[in-house]
Amino acid sequence: ICFHHAGLTTDERSVVEEGFRAGVVRILMATTTLSAGVNLPARLVVVRSPYGFKKELIKARVFQQMCGRAGRKGIDDAGHAVLMCPNVPSAQKDARQLISNKAEMILSQLDRTQIQRAILEQIATTDKLTVTVEEIEEFISSTLYHHQLEDLSGRDQLIEDTFGWLKENEFIIIKEESDIEITKLGEAAVGAGMPPVTALSVFDDLSSASRSLNLTTDLHLVYLCTPIQETNLNFSTVASMFDILEPAALDVANKCQVDIKLVKKIARHGMPRKMDKLGNRKLQIISRFYRALGIFDLINEIPIEIVSSKYQVPRGTLQSLQISASQYAGMITIFCEKLGWAHLRNLLATFQNQI
């Protein structure tokens, strides 16, 4: 009997998967992530509850993916799936509904942020020096988003707002007769594969770093290479970690605008019920710096078991973070190259290999 989840390292997951395929592992306890992306057919799949994260009913398409592990065509001649549920009328009703439900309708994911990215990429990848507003509208008309709209006036307003936002933030230049030209910042965002909103944040980070980069430690470069993402933190652990930072690391924290006072305040009194935009931005920086500390220890060859225990992060999560940081370093290297920031680009390109 083995278990399989994102907290395991890549090597550990590979060992478990090979053991299951070979029949050495007969029972595999797993999270829902096993339902997609890994070719592990089974004779029997048992789903222990019709409810998933936050006690919400599992989506039909996710349930079908999970059950689809049983009796894979060409590998097995039969397969069985069992759904367990509490002996409660409401739960049994939900279970029957889940079994009989058809997969949910596929919906376009082109929200406001994704429309910005799609339009910018369309402008950047054209063979012509400029494109027109009409050509972009024609492109949007060919998307699933357009065909699922009931009110086309909403589409036109969204396109107009997107052009205004891209122009205001200097991703594009709109010339006379509705001709659109992409700027260096726009090329950098597209070249690095970043949404424009993320590119603005990266631009601010790199601009600040280029003026006051701390090279007495690799931590500042590690921070720049750490992806921007949401993370749940134990602020008591974070506060105790910040208490023992060395002077060079504290200097990097100050240069990165890490609000250590806020960390200690949350550790003592808990997370405020409401946070304004500035507060959320501060939390994002704290989370990013904390993850950077973990990557910094890893590239200094501290064993992953020690780093995992020190930062209270599963080993598999740490490994995934390190891989993400390496990929992200490549993205911001391209970002700097497109902007013509040669010195910063060379530093980051070299550092990517180290990560």
Side-chain angles (χ1 to χ4, degrees):
I1 299 176
C2 283
F3 52 83
H4 186 289
H5 56 77
L8 299 177
T9 64
T10 305
D11 290 342
E12 289 167 343
R13 288 199 297 269
S14 295
V15 169
V16 172
E17 290 162 13
E18 286 302 320
F20 190 73
R21 290 191 191 98
V24 177
V25 176
R26 305 306 301 263
I27 300 175
L28 189 58
M29 311 295 288
T31 56
T32 54
T33 53
L34 194 64
S35 64
V38 181
N39 187 22
L40 281 184
R43 174 61 68 99
L44 172 66
V45 169
V46 179
V47 181
R48 71 183 183 94
S49 171
Y51 306 105
F53 185 61
K54 293 183 179 179
K55 304 299 181 184
E56 293 177 353
L57 189 67
I58 297 171
K59 290 187 179 296
R61 64 172 178 270
V62 175
F63 178 69
Q64 289 172 12
Q65 280 283 93
M66 294 160 73
C67 295
R69 292 283 161 204
R72 189 64 59 83
K73 185 177 180 181
I75 297 176
D76 219 333
D77 57 0
H80 305 279
V82 176
L83 173 61
M84 300 173 65
C85 71
N87 190 20
V88 178
S90 59
Q92 292 181 358
K93 180 182 177 182
D94 286 342
R96 291 192 184 94
Q97 178 186 336
L98 182 58
I99 290 170
S100 60
N101 275 353
K102 293 183 178 179
E104 294 83 5
M105 181 179 177
I106 295 173
L107 298 174
S108 170
Q109 299 302 298
L110 283 181
D111 57 15
R112 185 171 295 275
T113 299
Q114 295 299 335
I115 283 280
Q116 290 168 357
R117 181 174 183 172
I119 288 177
L120 190 62
E121 287 177 350
Q122 184 66 13
I123 296 168
T125 54
T126 184
D127 294 333
K128 300 182 295 183
L129 291 175
T130 61
V131 296
T132 64
V133 172
E134 289 75 20
E135 287 171 322
I136 295 300
E137 288 175 346
E138 184 179 348
F139 159 69
I140 295 296
S141 297
S142 68
T143 63
L144 178 63
Y145 163 79
H146 170 84
H147 288 279
Q148 289 183 333
L149 276 178
E150 295 180 359
D151 181 11
L152 290 182
S153 64
R155 181 209 70 169
D156 295 338
Q157 186 61 51
L158 180 57
I159 292 174
E160 184 180 331
D161 291 346
T162 300
F163 279 135
W165 187 90
L166 291 172
K167 181 183 177 183
E168 180 184 343
N169 289 284
E170 300 182 0
F171 288 98
I172 60 172
I173 299 169
I174 301 180
K175 298 184 173 181
E176 294 179 4
E177 299 179 358
S178 299
D179 283 349
I180 307 167
E181 188 177 305
I182 194 165
T183 63
K184 275 193 171 184
L185 179 58
E187 288 178 348
V190 173
M194 293 178 185
V197 172
T198 303
L200 280 180
S201 181
V202 170
F203 181 83
D204 289 342
D205 277 348
L206 295 175
S207 297
S208 176
S210 65
R211 293 189 296 270
S212 58
L213 186 63
N214 185 332
L215 293 177
T216 61
T217 170
D218 286 338
L219 181 58
H220 204 161
L221 287 173
V222 171
Y223 176 82
L224 294 176
C225 296
T226 302
I228 302 167
Q229 55 188 219
E230 297 297 325
T231 310
N232 292 323
L233 296 177
N234 180 330
F235 276 88
S236 296
T237 305
V238 177
S240 62
M241 197 65 60
F242 283 7
D243 281 339
I244 58 173
L245 288 179
E246 295 180 356
L250 273 174
D251 181 65
V252 174
N254 289 330
K255 290 181 185 300
C256 296
Q257 299 179 329
V258 177
D259 192 337
I260 296 178
K261 289 182 179 179
L262 178 61
V263 172
K264 293 180 177 180
K265 182 179 178 182
I266 294 174
R268 285 195 302 266
H269 306 294
M271 185 71 72
R273 290 186 178 181
K274 289 185 179 181
M275 295 288 283
D276 57 16
K277 189 175 181 180
L278 178 60
N280 286 324
R281 171 66 178 154
K282 287 181 177 181
L283 289 179
Q284 187 183 69
I285 292 171
I286 291 165
S287 170
R288 189 181 178 193
F289 187 77
Y290 185 70
R291 285 179 284 118
L293 289 172
I295 299 171
F296 179 69
D297 281 354
L298 288 176
I299 66 171
N300 282 296
E301 301 185 5
I302 296 176
I304 194 168
E305 293 80 9
I306 295 175
V307 179
S308 173
S309 175
K310 180 180 177 181
Y311 294 95
Q312 299 296 296
V313 177
R315 288 167 295 133
T317 304
L318 272 174
Q319 192 178 54
S320 297
L321 177 59
Q322 188 173 4
I323 293 168
S324 298
S326 177
Q327 294 169 342
Y328 189 70
M331 292 166 64
I332 61 176
T333 298
I334 295 170
F335 191 85
C336 291
E337 186 176 301
K338 294 288 185 181
L339 287 171
W341 296 350
H343 296 303
L344 199 51
R345 181 256 175 220
N346 292 337
L347 270 174
L348 293 167
T350 304
F351 197 67
Q352 182 185 5
N353 295 327
Q354 192 174 343
I355 297 178

